[in-house]
């Protein structure tokens, strides 16, 4: 099973905990400005969690169970969902693949 993690520069970082392995990552651009990073990750163990870490000196960390994330049976399904999330009419958006983990 796969999930999509979202991190926003200068706001928060989604970090997979044990039992979750990143597969590929994308930078999301809105009218040429980078707005977020998306990571498709494979969930290897039930009960896994994702840490959401606020940016800044006193940033808090929240440990979120994967039950709160939409799940996809394949990487391709997650890619299609990601594409749908960032596409709206003629708005200038793009995803740029930035990393692949084998």
């Amino acid at each position: 099973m796969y999930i999509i993690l979202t991190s926003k520069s200068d706001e928060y970082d989604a970090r997979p905990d044990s039992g979750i392995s990143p597969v590929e990552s994308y930078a999301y651009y809105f009218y040429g400005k980078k707005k977020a990073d998306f990571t498709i990750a494979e969930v290897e163990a039930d009960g896994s969690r994702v840490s959401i870490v606020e940016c800044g000196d006193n940033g808090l960390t929240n440990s979120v169970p994967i039950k709160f994330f939409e799940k996809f049976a394949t990487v391709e399904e997650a890619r299609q969902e990601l594409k749908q999330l960032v596409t709206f009419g003629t708005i200038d958006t793009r995803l740029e693949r930035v990393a692949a983990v084998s």
Side-chain angles (χ1 to χ4, degrees):
M1 143 179 60
Y2 298 86
I3 59 174
I4 298 172
L5 306 175
T6 305
S7 296
K8 293 183 87 177
S9 299
D10 300 325
E11 289 186 41
Y12 62 88
D13 187 27
R15 301 178 186 168
D17 290 343
S18 63
I20 302 174
S21 298
V23 175
E24 55 193 40
S25 295
Y26 298 85
Y28 167 63
Y29 293 88
F30 182 80
Y31 286 94
K33 184 176 180 184
K34 184 177 174 187
K35 292 291 188 175
D37 292 301
F38 294 106
T39 299
I40 297 173
E42 183 175 13
V43 177
E44 301 160 348
D46 289 335
S48 297
R49 301 175 80 86
V50 174
S51 293
I52 307 297
V53 182
E54 293 178 344
C55 295
D57 293 336
N58 295 318
L60 300 175
T61 298
N62 188 10
S63 180
V64 181
I66 60 163
K67 72 180 181 180
F68 292 107
F69 290 83
E70 186 171 0
K71 292 157 196 71
F72 307 93
T74 66
V75 172
E76 186 57 37
E77 285 180 19
R79 286 183 193 127
Q80 289 301 319
E81 177 67 15
L82 190 53
K83 183 177 178 181
Q84 185 175 11
L85 284 172
V86 302
T87 304
F88 185 77
T90 59
I91 292 177
D92 179 16
T93 63
R94 71 182 163 93
L95 284 174
E96 183 178 298
R97 189 168 176 171
V98 294
V101 179
S102 49

